[in-house]
């Protein structure tokens, strides 16, 4: 009787701990979304634009859903989307094989996260991408990253972004930055053009050090430091004018962004091939892109 | 001795027959390219535009090459590319398995063809695609097709295009049109949006009736009748004005064209993944496309 009681307590406590963590993570992604949107709208106000985010809730067949926040035609952002989602259910047998912590008996999953892609109006401000997430199968881990794609050469800006990411990484583990920067460079590479998508940043997956608070702290810090450095980059560059030629360079660079996202991005391809929410998945595509062909 | 002589004659005659056919096919694709370019430039002249095709020759690592003809910023065509190519060599073992007439001992291939994608300036004129080719392994066959993607609804125009394709098909085989139309509809379908790419046309592959002249004749007729009906559609619509809203619809429709070509088109994906000529492969992408996100 005592043993049964102990087992029950233990199971119950493991159960409630992961459930509590899910709640905390989901709540954080929502809070971060709110902070980011407020921040970006304030940047629009600085340029006397009245652009606002529009919200769209979507449901997922099979369990869960999410909310897209989209701001278009701003003076800072030509298009910026912030998507939060919490989805759960059972992986297909085929997909489960690629995912840690699943077995033939148990292919259940839960995933929550935030994903952001910003396409600024000015070619002086880089396109930016940030995504952090928590995944739970029979294991649990964090993943995410942040990276920028400048159109015009600006060494200082790229250095500032990487320094901010490094500072955040270093607070948690002195090895993180080098390792996660390398993963980012390898992932965001346009193979058919033999060129990087942008100027990189950090990218990590399957992060579980057995110290959940540490890992969750790092995940939160990535989101916060991304917002801080990207806002700072925007403020430093948003009042500069640009030429038609500079805008054209931006539109062509965006064409390559489209090529990467549709040809190589695992999330985009997986989402589209498995009936995910199209608006949420294709939120990342630029408002306008060009392929002049020469 | 007589037997050897006979064998030699026979082999020689088979050899020279296929070589002669290769020459005829390659010459035709080049002739068709010239006819099309001349025709399209004349359409530009009708609108008092001095736009010209620019030519770019490319070599293929492994054997052969091609020539891109690209006209941009015309008054009829915002961008139109016509590519001819003749390539040969040895298929990779992996790819050879998908191709008829290859074996472990012999994975050699020869392929020649023409490929055209036209993105007109006017939203009243549909985007058009035409491609015909001859492939030789230890077997040989023709493939190709022609289809249009209107942005604005125009039932008559779509009917005219299909009638022209049907008329051409019917001259060769009364079953071709229904069969090739179905293949076209199935192939040019944007699965994640559950919608067709455009208004269809015809699409065929592995065409070999054992009457080479018949098959080659059909292949030529597809190119010729495409040029004839598309030129006629252009002439009927090229003088109409359009609203900003109609242009926006066109740019969004082009976004979906990009989605199809990068996510699903076998030729595009295969070409990019195996180090083909990027300019020739991505010639199909529109000059400008939009994803407004709502």
């Amino acid at each position: 009787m005592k043993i049964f009681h102990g087992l029950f307590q233990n199971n119950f406590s493991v159960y409630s701990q992961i459930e509590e963590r899910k709640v905390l993570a989901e709540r954080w992604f929502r809070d971060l979304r709110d902070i980011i949107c407020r921040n970006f709208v304030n940047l629009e106000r600085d340029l006397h634009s009245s652009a606002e985010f529009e919200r769209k809730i979507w449901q997922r067949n099979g369990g869960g859903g999410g909310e897209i926040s989209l701001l278009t035609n701003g003076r800072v952002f030509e298009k910026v989307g912030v998507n939060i989602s919490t989805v759960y259910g059972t992986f297909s047998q085929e997909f489960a094989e690629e995912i840690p912590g699943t077995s033939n008996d148990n292919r259940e999953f839960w995933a929550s996260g935030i994903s952001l892609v910003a396409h600024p109006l000015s070619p002086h401000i880089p396109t930016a991408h940030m995504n952090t997430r928590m995944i739970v199968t029979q294991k649990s881990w964090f993943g995410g990253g942040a990276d920028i794609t400048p159109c015009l050469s600006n060494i200082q800006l790229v250095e500032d972004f990487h320094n901010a990411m490094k500072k955040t990484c270093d607070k948690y583990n002195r090895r993180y930055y080098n390792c996660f920067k390398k993963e980012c460079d390898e992932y965001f590479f346009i193979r058919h053009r033999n060129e990087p998508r942008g100027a990189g940043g950090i990218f990590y997956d399957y992060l579980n050090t057995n110290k959940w608070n540490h890992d969750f702290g790092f995940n939160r810090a990535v989101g916060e430091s991304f917002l801080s450095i990207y806002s700072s980059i925007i403020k430093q560059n948003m009042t500069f004018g640009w030429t038609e030629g500079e805008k054209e360079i931006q539109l062509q660079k965006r064409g390559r962004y489209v090529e990467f996202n549709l040809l190589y991005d695992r999330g985009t391809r997986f989402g589209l091939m498995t009936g995910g929410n199209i608006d949420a998945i294709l939120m990342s595509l630029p408002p306008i892109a060009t392929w002049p062909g020469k």
Side-chain angles (χ1 to χ4, degrees), chain A:
Chain A
M1 191 65 191
K2 210 180 165 192
I3 293 169
F4 274 99
H5 185 64
L7 268 178
F8 176 74
Q9 271 198 321
N10 188 47
N11 277 346
F12 182 75
S13 121
V14 168
Y15 175 81
S16 52
Q17 189 181 54
I18 191 71
E19 291 307 313
E20 194 187 305
R21 287 171 176 178
K22 286 180 182 176
V23 170
L24 289 172
E26 184 175 359
R27 192 180 296 161
W28 160 251
F29 295 128
R30 184 171 293 272
D31 287 347
L32 179 59
R33 188 271 313 267
D34 291 340
I35 299 166
I36 289 171
C37 289
R38 205 157 47 232
N39 217 290
F40 282 3
V41 164
N42 283 338
L43 290 170
E44 289 290 342
R45 297 295 173 273
D46 288 346
L47 290 189
H48 312 291
S49 145
S50 60
E52 292 281 357
F53 279 94
E54 285 180 32
R55 293 261 164 96
K56 199 159 151 190
I57 291 175
W58 52 272
Q59 303 290 326
R60 176 178 169 275
N61 287 338
E67 193 170 9
I68 303 169
S69 302
L70 188 74
L71 183 154
T72 55
N73 299 315
R75 287 190 187 151
V76 177
F77 300 102
E78 202 169 318
K79 177 178 172 186
V80 53
V82 191
N83 187 39
I84 54 169
S85 65
T86 298
V87 299
Y88 45 83
T90 308
F91 282 131
S92 71
Q93 196 156 355
E94 199 188 345
F95 192 60
E97 283 169 17
E98 300 174 24
I99 307 289
T102 62
S103 63
N104 272 338
D105 296 338
N106 190 336
R107 302 197 306 266
E108 280 179 32
F109 75 96
W110 177 96
S112 187
I114 182 170
S115 163
L116 173 158
V117 176
H119 292 286
L121 183 62
S122 164
H124 295 295
I125 304 174
T127 300
H129 162 247
M130 186 275 294
N131 161 240
T132 57
R133 57 193 178 270
M134 174 179 165
I135 315 280
V136 180
T137 56
Q138 289 163 78
K139 300 186 174 183
S140 88
W141 65 90
F142 288 97
D147 68 282
I148 54 169
T149 304
C151 328
L152 307 176
S153 174
N154 186 331
I155 296 166
Q156 187 59 52
L157 181 159
V158 170
E159 210 177 292
D160 290 348
F161 185 80
H162 275 275
N163 283 342
M165 290 299 117
K166 184 174 188 309
K167 210 170 143 187
T168 303
C169 287
D170 285 353
K171 275 186 205 149
Y172 289 83
N173 187 320
R174 305 288 292 186
R175 288 185 190 162
Y176 276 2
Y177 174 72
N178 281 345
C179 179
F180 297 163
K181 176 193 184 304
K182 188 166 168 281
E183 283 200 43
C184 187
D185 287 342
E186 284 168 5
Y187 183 76
F188 291 108
F189 193 78
I190 305 177
R191 292 195 291 278
H192 63 274
R193 293 195 180 271
N194 197 32
E195 68 183 31
R197 180 175 84 166
I202 58 171
F203 185 90
Y204 56 97
D205 208 353
Y206 307 116
L207 184 72
N208 183 342
T209 64
N210 281 321
K211 291 174 288 177
W212 191 82
N213 285 327
H214 172 275
D215 298 344
F216 184 41
F218 174 68
N219 216 246
R220 289 201 309 274
V222 168
E224 285 169 341
S225 81
F226 163 79
L227 176 60
S228 164
I229 184 63
Y230 190 49
S231 297
S232 155
I233 287 172
I234 289 173
K235 278 181 192 161
Q236 284 172 53
N237 292 281
M238 72 182 180
T239 56
F240 300 143
W242 58 85
T243 66
E244 214 172 288
E246 286 169 335
K247 188 70 189 174
E248 266 173 39
I249 291 170
Q250 184 197 45
L251 297 183
Q252 290 182 41
K253 189 78 180 169
R254 286 185 186 165
R256 296 178 178 206
Y257 209 85
V258 172
E259 290 174 25
F260 178 86
N261 284 20
L262 297 181
L263 283 165
Y264 303 114
D265 189 60
R266 289 195 289 259
T268 303
R269 289 188 65 79
F270 176 77
L272 293 179
M273 300 301 174
T274 54
N277 182 276
I278 293 170
D279 292 331
I281 299 163
L282 296 186
M283 181 196 81
S284 68
L285 297 183
I288 312 179
T290 64
W291 287 269
K294 52 180 180 179

